[in-house]
Structures are given as structure tokens and as C-alpha cells.
Amino acid sequence: GPKVRELNNAIYDLGLKADVLMAGALSHDVLIREIKQSWAVIVPSLSEVTPNLVLESCASGTPVIVTRENGLPENISSKIMTFNPKDKKELILAILFLEDPQKWQDYANVIVNMDTTRSFEDVVSEHINLFEK
């Protein structure tokens, strides 16, 4: 996006070039491979209407940290790590929490065992509830 140069400079200045991947558009196969090889996926968006990256990460068994405004159904949102997108301390605490290998493994187990499927009836019901508000 428009801040790519600024982000690349920050990555370089912080000595994170070997740890952070800035990629453009990826094929689905390459994206899934990158997700599976990642320690965690962090989605710091202010709002997310269709959180496909989060769902792909969960389906791949990769721990995910996402903002509370994530557009996910409660059965998924209640099991994943969330943070206030306007409070970077919350994100830092979530990352630090996962630095403990046992906590990372426990959370990865939650992700691997989470049911991310939604039936057509679930989607219809959610839309009806949304439009009735």
C-alpha cells in the first residue's frame, strides 16, 4: 500500500529484514505455504469485513492475532487472540504471550482443533440477523 516505503525502512532500521516478509500479491498456494511456515499471522486492520486471511491461517493451524473488529462469527472470534487496534500495547502483550513456547503450543492446539466451517444456513441466518438490525 501507500506506506510500503515507510514500512520497509522501519523493518531495515529495526534489523528485522530476515524476519519480516513484505510480499505483493501471492497465488493461493504460495500464500498457504507462507502461512504454514509462519510463527504467527497478525492482522492489525481497523476493521475487517471478510477475514479470509484469518480463516486461512486458522485452517492452516497457524496461530493468529487479530483486531477485535474482525467480522468473524462468535464461535471463531471467541477462541482467537484479539486486540484493540488503537492500542499497540495490547498487540505487544499478545506477541510477548506467544513467545513462551508452551503458550504458543497451547494456542496452536486451540487453532488446529477449532471448527472454522460455516453452513449455508449459518450464513443465511447471520445475514437475516444483520438486516433486521
Side-chain angles (χ1 to χ4, degrees):
K3 301 233 178 196
V4 69
R5 178 174 283 142
E6 183 180 330
L7 290 170
N8 278 322
N9 288 340
I11 290 166
Y12 181 78
D13 292 345
L14 294 168
L16 298 173
K17 190 134 180 80
D19 299 313
V20 177
L21 170 67
M22 292 287 286
L26 301 174
S27 71
H28 187 259
D29 291 342
V30 172
L31 175 64
I32 298 304
R33 185 178 70 235
E34 292 295 335
I35 289 171
K36 286 182 178 181
Q37 292 176 358
S38 297
W39 172 77
V41 172
I42 301 172
V43 185
S45 58
L46 289 175
S47 67
E48 188 66 58
V49 178
T50 55
N52 293 329
L53 178 59
V54 176
L55 295 173
E56 294 280 14
S57 300
C58 291
S60 297
T62 301
V64 63
I65 302 171
V66 62
T67 58
R68 288 188 188 103
E69 295 78 13
N70 56 47
L72 293 163
E74 179 63 23
N75 67 313
I76 295 172
S77 190
S78 65
K79 292 183 174 85
I80 61 174
M81 293 181 71
T82 62
F83 68 97
N84 176 349
K86 296 181 180 180
D87 185 350
K88 66 181 174 183
K89 288 181 184 177
E90 282 191 30
L91 175 57
I92 292 168
L93 289 173
I95 292 169
L96 291 174
F97 177 85
L98 289 182
E99 283 189 336
D100 178 308
Q102 185 59 55
K103 291 176 181 174
W104 183 93
Q105 188 59 59
D106 291 345
Y107 184 46
N109 289 338
V110 168
I111 296 296
V112 166
N113 293 309
M114 184 170 38
D115 181 12
T116 59
T117 59
R118 291 170 59 203
S119 69
F120 181 73
E121 289 77 18
D122 291 337
V123 174
V124 169
S125 176
E126 290 170 14
H127 278 82
I128 289 172
N129 288 337
L130 177 67
F131 291 121
E132 287 179 346
K133 289 184 177 181

